[in-house]
Amino acid sequence: MASHSINLPKPSCQLLHIPSKTLDHVRGFCLLQRNVSFPRHAFLQLLQNGFIRDSPILRVSNQTVDSNTQAFDVPILTSSQAIERLRENRESYKGKQKFLAMYSSVFGGITTDPSAMVIPIDDHMVHRGHGVFDTAAITDGHLYELDQHLNRILKSASMAKINLPFDRESIRRILIQTVSASKCQIGSLRYWLSAGPGDFQLSPSGCHQSALYAIVIQDQSPFVSKGVKVVTSTIPIKPPQFATMKSVNYLPNVLSKMEAEENGAFAAIWLDHDGFIAEGPNMNVAFVTKEKDLIMPYFDKILSGCTANRVLSLAECLVREGKLNGVKVGDVTVEQGKQADEMMLIGSGILVRPVVQWDAQIIGDGKEGPVTLALLNLILEDMKAGPPSVRVPVM
């Protein structure tokens, strides 16, 4: 078969023009290199595809295109220099939360140095979202509902097809020892099970070992009882298979929370695919009906909240006291929710938070409801003096 070749013109020098968006990419790349060269054929392809326009930027010769953009050197650091920069970066940021201790199965121990609280970038939890997590509150040197949260993360790991790096009892001991090493009295323990580090492929088949990470966060912020506003979320809810699993894929949750904040609200409420009330971005929702029943949506399509389940149990005290007629779970329509006497958000990070407005609808009389506040007090008391089944000593 005869071959054909195309002889392109060979300008000794000519000015090319690229659009502002392309220019931004070129500038960003040039910041990483002192001498940037581009093959001539690459810019001819840009020209052919219409990317090169009217602003003179780069000069083309027969061999390369050289950038005149000012550049700087990116240093190559030793491990000790990198660690020192991590430490400087961490010390320069002052947030409300303090990170007191971290366990990593990758380095097989606990560190109390925040600059060393890192995970490998090739961990599949980082670049593929193949990981699950959970949280337990720390109060007066006790972990609250540790076993309930531990059972849930093990269930989530099974759903996510993540093999356990240790058995349940070993994981439990590691979590308790991490909190003990932190000496934290008030805060939270957050922990993850990951497919582990290994490579950047889609499948975790190259991950030689799953990983466990845990961090102790000191947070002195008190739980707030002031009523908040919520809105209806326009961000699509996750399908039940993923909504019932506490995975690290929280982008829909993040966007839902941002949507609420953009509208001057505390949280956005998801509806399920049948139009019933589902949950908030990281909390359950419950209502007190006009018949004085506490009702919470079914957990079959949403995350089964540990705090929410504890609230359902503690609410029986209010039934015995005559403050509630009953406690149940079931489908709740938006109309029923907005017409309820009380509405509340429930989660380990907020405990029980009154809702006084949903979209334009005022809930009840627009004030924090008595049942909601009573449930908050019951949870706070339970955290301080509850039975051993919900309070695990760590000191």
Side-chain angles (χ1 to χ4, degrees):
M1 181 180 293
S3 61
H4 301 278
S5 62
I6 299 175
N7 294 322
L8 294 171
K10 298 181 178 180
S12 58
C13 186
Q14 74 181 72
L15 289 177
L16 296 184
H17 311 281
I18 67 176
S20 59
K21 288 185 178 179
T22 306
L23 172 58
D24 290 339
H25 290 298
V26 173
R27 282 176 173 162
F29 181 78
C30 290
L31 288 176
L32 300 178
Q33 303 289 338
R34 177 174 292 279
N35 298 312
V36 180
S37 295
F38 298 93
R40 182 173 181 274
H41 68 80
F43 271 83
L44 288 174
Q45 186 175 4
L46 286 174
L47 178 64
Q48 180 181 1
N49 287 283
F51 287 107
I52 299 174
R53 298 291 187 229
D54 301 326
S55 301
I57 298 298
L58 302 171
R59 185 171 296 277
V60 180
S61 67
N62 288 335
Q63 301 298 322
T64 61
V65 179
D66 298 319
S67 170
N68 294 320
T69 305
Q70 184 178 0
F72 64 90
D73 285 329
V74 176
I76 298 176
L77 305 176
T78 65
S79 59
S80 60
Q81 289 172 325
I83 291 173
E84 183 58 32
R85 290 200 175 195
L86 283 172
R87 182 171 291 109
E88 291 173 355
N89 180 271
R90 177 62 64 186
E91 291 175 351
S92 67
Y93 175 73
K94 303 297 182 184
K96 293 182 179 180
Q97 297 180 334
K98 293 183 179 180
F99 309 138
L100 301 184
M102 176 191 175
Y103 170 84
S104 168
S105 62
V106 173
F107 52 72
I110 299 169
T111 179
T112 57
D113 182 354
S115 63
M117 297 178 185
V118 296
I119 62 176
I121 196 171
D122 63 338
D123 191 301
H124 275 232
M125 183 171 68
V126 176
H127 62 87
R128 297 300 179 191
H130 196 177
V132 295
F133 78 102
D134 224 299
T135 304
I138 304 169
T139 303
D140 298 333
H142 288 73
L143 277 163
Y144 185 63
E145 289 201 298
L146 171 63
D147 290 296
Q148 290 81 354
H149 286 276
L150 184 53
N151 289 338
R152 186 171 64 179
I153 194 175
L154 297 182
K155 180 182 177 181
S156 294
S158 176
M159 295 173 67
K161 298 184 178 181
I162 296 173
N163 296 322
L164 300 182
F166 314 106
D167 60 39
R168 183 190 188 280
E169 186 56 33
S170 296
I171 293 174
R172 188 178 189 272
R173 286 199 303 266
I174 288 170
L175 297 179
I176 292 173
Q177 289 178 33
T178 304
V179 178
S180 179
S182 74
K183 298 180 173 56
C184 181
Q185 292 293 312
I186 301 177
S188 61
L189 169 70
R190 180 163 296 200
Y191 43 100
W192 298 259
L193 286 167
S194 160
D199 55 33
F200 289 94
Q201 300 301 318
L202 185 61
S203 167
S205 58
C207 301
H208 62 87
Q209 178 66 56
S210 56
L212 169 67
Y213 305 104
I215 189 167
V216 177
I217 306 166
Q218 178 180 283
D219 192 340
Q220 304 286 351
S221 303
F223 291 105
V224 182
S225 60
K226 182 176 175 57
V228 295
K229 172 187 174 182
V230 298
V231 294
T232 304
S233 179
T234 65
I235 305 299
I237 189 173
K238 288 182 281 191
Q241 179 180 358
F242 299 104
T244 55
M245 178 198 318
K246 198 171 178 68
S247 78
V248 297
N249 181 13
Y250 257 45
L251 183 56
N253 310 62
V254 170
L255 294 177
S256 180
K257 177 68 171 179
M258 293 177 67
E259 178 182 38
E261 293 174 344
E262 289 164 359
N263 287 277
F266 179 77
I269 303 302
W270 268 318
L271 309 181
D272 67 22
H273 295 295
D274 296 319
F276 293 111
I277 297 169
E279 60 183 341
N282 63 341
M283 68 279 290
N284 293 101
V285 60
F287 303 87
V288 177
T289 67
K290 295 188 180 303
E291 293 75 29
K292 294 303 176 184
D293 289 323
L294 177 70
I295 185 168
M296 200 176 294
Y298 287 121
F299 294 124
D300 58 339
K301 301 176 184 177
I302 59 176
L303 189 68
S304 179
C306 294
T307 307
N309 278 289
R310 188 59 180 164
V311 164
L312 290 173
S313 177
L314 294 174
E316 295 294 343
C317 298
L318 302 184
V319 175
R320 292 192 292 269
E321 294 173 3
K323 297 178 181 178
L324 282 174
N325 286 331
V327 178
K328 58 185 179 180
V329 294
D331 290 327
V332 185
T333 67
V334 174
E335 181 181 5
Q336 288 173 327
K338 291 186 174 182
Q339 294 300 320
D341 280 355
E342 298 182 38
M343 178 178 179
M344 66 197 78
L345 303 173
I346 304 171
S348 59
I350 57 171
L351 298 185
V352 182
R353 191 74 187 266
V355 175
V356 296
Q357 182 178 343
W358 183 358
D359 294 330
Q361 178 69 46
I362 300 299
I363 303 298
D365 60 5
K367 298 178 181 180
E368 295 81 3
V371 172
T372 303
L373 296 178
L375 289 172
L376 174 58
N377 289 331
L378 284 173
I379 281 285
L380 288 171
E381 182 62 26
D382 199 48
M383 294 175 72
K384 294 179 179 179
S389 60
V390 296
R391 295 181 77 245
V392 177
V394 293
M395 298 300 177

